[in-house]
Amino acid sequence: MKVTLKRTSFLQELQTVQRAISGKTTIPILTGVKIVLSNEGLHLTGSNTDISIETLLPKDDEKAQMVIESNGAIVLQARFFIEIIRRLPEEFLTFELMDNQQVKITSGKAEFVVNGLDAENYPHLPVIDSGNQLELDTQVLTQLINETVFAISSQESRPILTGVHFILENGNLTAVATDSHRLSQRKLAVDSSLSFNIVIPGKSLVELARSLQDGTETLEMAIMENQVLFKTENMYFYSRLLEGNYPDTGRLIPNSFNTEATFSGQALGQAIERASLLSHEGRNNIVKLAINNEHIVLSGNSPEVGYVEEELSYQKVTGDPLEISFNPDYMKDALRAFGDQEIVIRFISPIRPFTLEPAAENVDFIQLITPVRTN
């Protein structure tokens, strides 16, 4: 096994698979990166108990300028190996497998020899049923993740809520996340006759979004018994699925309201940010919204620090007067997912969850936040 290539191209692939490599594992070989050199190019694999990532750096990649002299395979301790590659002095490096599972890495006048492990002992990745795949636009999937994953639970006491619930039926894909205090649901139409009902760990989806490279237009999503695979031209991203039944969140979303207000999402987010400067310093992280037909006022009161009040700009308000308190961090996360769109917030009462939706009617995206009861 011997190859010469550009260091930056190699390092980029290593950093992608490193997302799946944990320093803490009961299987020692999984602290390493599997490297396979074939006639196709350089295959790199990283894995832990939750996700596995396999990438291919093709031999004809113009940026890599790869010269393959002989094929082979090895597993190297990921943390040390990646740091070595990062610190090599020259633009090109040569990577050579020698006897006794040792690898020689040379670049300019620097030479490293590191011990490896037999690649045959590395766990095999699942085999995918190629007939059960859904094609998705990469940007759409990334946006779908960003619009939902922040609402998952960080508490392991209810593991199913640490994931995002994906349902595909009748050509409609729904993604839902909730931590029982807030909920985010996004729906979109897809060209597929497949159907599935799965829960993907939120941490896996965050790493997937980070791993998808700019310029990758589409990917394929395939599901097995307890795994899901996201496949691009040069990357396979596997994640385990969460076991159990996700709560029936559809019944949580109300369909009748008493008060409605339309805002610029960006401007409202900035006002919430200002109000939370004081609320974060107090014992209770709460801000209050007071709505009537003449004005809308946002306020925060922290006895330890002080008081803030701001009259908000809005596009429209209808319905009953209302005063409601909520966690500003939940609202900031929700508004961030909408970007600079206009949003409609609908309320029932000070103690019932309220919803946020885009003012544009062609986007099926709704968020729900549970208010905080105050005396």
Side-chain angles (χ1 to χ4, degrees), residues 118-270:
D118 189 344
E120 288 297 319
N121 295 327
Y122 197 88
H124 293 287
L125 297 179
V127 177
I128 305 299
D129 177 6
S130 59
N132 189 27
Q133 298 186 355
L134 168 67
E135 186 172 292
L136 291 170
D137 181 284
T138 303
Q139 279 191 322
V140 169
L141 177 62
T142 302
Q143 184 177 355
L144 191 74
I145 293 169
N146 293 335
E147 288 172 340
T148 54
V149 75
F150 65 87
I152 65 166
S153 174
S154 59
Q155 305 297 319
E156 294 293 339
S157 56
R158 292 188 69 187
I160 198 73
L161 296 186
T162 63
V164 178
H165 189 197
F166 283 82
I167 307 158
L168 176 60
E169 55 186 7
N170 301 321
N172 290 304
L173 179 63
T174 302
V176 186
T178 182
D179 61 4
S180 76
H181 299 291
R182 56 179 167 174
L183 176 148
S184 185
Q185 174 182 282
R186 181 72 160 94
K187 292 184 178 182
L188 54 94
V190 295
D191 183 15
S192 175
S193 59
L194 296 176
S195 62
F196 57 71
N197 186 327
I198 58 174
V199 183
I200 305 175
K203 291 179 181 179
S204 299
L205 292 170
V206 169
E207 295 302 342
L208 172 64
R210 290 172 178 166
S211 302
L212 293 170
Q213 297 180 1
D214 292 339
T216 306
E217 293 184 0
T218 61
L219 56 74
E220 291 179 344
M221 179 180 178
I223 295 148
M224 297 150 290
E225 186 177 347
N226 62 352
Q227 293 263 331
V228 60
L229 166 65
F230 296 92
K231 181 173 66 173
T232 68
E233 183 180 4
N234 293 322
M235 182 183 74
Y236 282 25
F237 185 107
Y238 298 82
S239 171
R240 72 179 178 97
L241 298 175
L242 293 177
E243 297 180 358
N245 295 318
Y246 203 84
D248 179 11
T249 53
R251 61 184 177 79
L252 301 177
I253 300 172
N255 50 28
S256 62
F257 305 90
N258 296 318
T259 308
E260 182 177 304
T262 305
F263 299 92
S264 157
Q266 191 173 38
L268 179 59
Q270 292 168 351

Side-chain angles (χ1 to χ4, degrees), residues 76 80-81 84 98 101-105 112-116:
L76 296 176
F80 294 114
F81 180 57
I84 289 170
M98 304 186 298
Q101 306 291 348
Q102 289 187 314
V103 168
K104 181 168 70 173
I105 306 152
F112 288 84
V113 175
V114 295
N115 298 325

Side-chain angles (χ1 to χ4, degrees), residues 3-36:
V3 62
T4 300
L5 75 163
K6 267 195 170 180
R7 183 177 63 87
T8 49
S9 295
F10 191 25
L11 185 60
Q12 184 177 0
E13 300 301 314
L14 283 169
Q15 288 170 332
T16 297
V17 299
Q18 187 184 28
R19 300 186 193 283
I21 300 173
S22 171
K24 300 175 182 178
T25 175
T26 55
I27 309 172
I29 201 167
L30 291 185
T31 62
V33 55
K34 180 182 177 183
I35 302 167
V36 179

